[in-house]
Amino acid sequence: MQVIAVLNQKGGSGKTTIATHLARALQLDGASVLLVDSDPQGSARDWAAVQDDNPVTVVGIDRPTIDRDLKAIGHKDFVVIDGAPQAADLAVSAIKAASFILIPVQPSPYDIWATADLVELVKQRIEVTDGKLQAAFVVSRAIKGTRIGAEITEALAGYGLPVLESRITQRVSYPGTAAAGTTILDAEPDGDGAREIRALMNEIKQKLV
């Protein structure tokens, strides 16, 4: 079972959007998937509740026992954790449970600086696991047509974690489909947004091989 934790202690980084879409993409790719909502605000649970027949199973674990609680859950190919903002104990628990840490970061200096504490926690865990834990940044809520690639990669380089080539751009279809309890993979499967989500999924899967 591979556990992908989508973490950033700063709010507004697009964690829930990425976590719900990544879980759905893995499911559409043929994997059995569980989405864990560790945010006490319960955004992923709210999203799942909009549709009675939402295909993604979502459970809430908003206590710092995620790593232990996942052991009691039946086998899934993937567990995706939607991390909680501003909660170090929940972040530590998610990091302990994870095979891969995905850190979404908006292309702004404030968001880049705000990841410092989380990166330190992740690096400590990488050291404890002798490098078995993998982690990477993904640029989130990028505005199309802006030059962000080289600049943000350079800005994040000092943290010593890779930056994925995939980019998640800002699109009205993300909040639009969330309000309907679905994803752009279902609403616009052949659209650019669905393609960028699948690219993110494939890049993570390649790193987990």
Side-chain angles (χ1 to χ4, degrees):
M1 185 166 74
Q2 300 284 13
V3 180
I4 302 168
V6 185
L7 300 177
N8 190 326
Q9 289 170 281
K10 186 179 187 302
S13 62
K15 283 191 315 299
T16 300
T17 295
I18 289 173
T20 53
H21 278 78
L22 187 56
R24 182 63 174 142
L26 288 162
Q27 190 180 58
L28 289 167
D29 199 45
S32 58
V33 182
L34 177 69
L35 177 58
V36 172
D37 186 349
S38 73
D39 187 344
Q41 291 181 356
S43 298
R45 279 168 280 181
D46 290 342
W47 166 78
V50 174
Q51 276 201 82
D52 290 337
D53 58 349
N54 192 308
V56 179
T57 301
V58 182
V59 299
I61 308 177
D62 51 18
R63 299 165 299 171
T65 54
I66 301 166
D67 52 317
R68 293 203 304 272
D69 292 347
L70 284 185
K71 292 173 184 171
I73 289 171
H75 177 80
K76 298 285 183 183
D77 297 323
F78 289 93
V79 173
V80 178
I81 300 172
D82 180 17
Q86 301 170 338
D89 56 345
L90 287 170
V92 168
S93 183
I95 289 166
K96 282 183 182 176
S99 326
F100 190 95
I101 307 289
L102 183 66
I103 306 173
V105 58
Q106 292 190 82
S108 90
Y110 304 107
D111 288 75
I112 293 167
W113 298 331
T115 63
D117 290 345
L118 175 61
V119 170
E120 190 55 39
L121 290 173
V122 170
K123 283 185 165 179
Q124 288 171 10
R125 184 66 182 171
I126 290 172
E127 193 170 325
V128 167
T129 61
D130 292 325
K132 288 179 184 174
L133 173 65
Q134 295 197 62
F137 292 107
V138 60
V139 178
S140 172
R141 304 185 76 173
I143 298 171
K144 283 190 79 174
T146 56
R147 292 180 58 203
I148 57 157
E151 292 90 339
I152 194 165
T153 302
E154 187 177 332
L156 290 169
Y159 286 128
L161 295 177
V163 180
L164 298 183
E165 291 181 17
S166 308
R167 297 278 188 270
I168 305 301
T169 52
Q170 191 146 312
R171 298 174 185 274
V172 295
S173 50
Y174 283 124
T177 53
T182 185
T183 70
I184 60 175
L185 294 156
D186 300 286
E188 303 168 6
D190 298 320
D192 290 343
R195 276 192 283 273
E196 70 186 18
I197 293 293
R198 286 192 290 266
L200 173 63
M201 174 193 70
N202 288 328
E203 194 170 1
I204 293 171
K205 285 178 75 174
Q206 284 168 8
K207 288 184 174 293
L208 286 170
V209 170

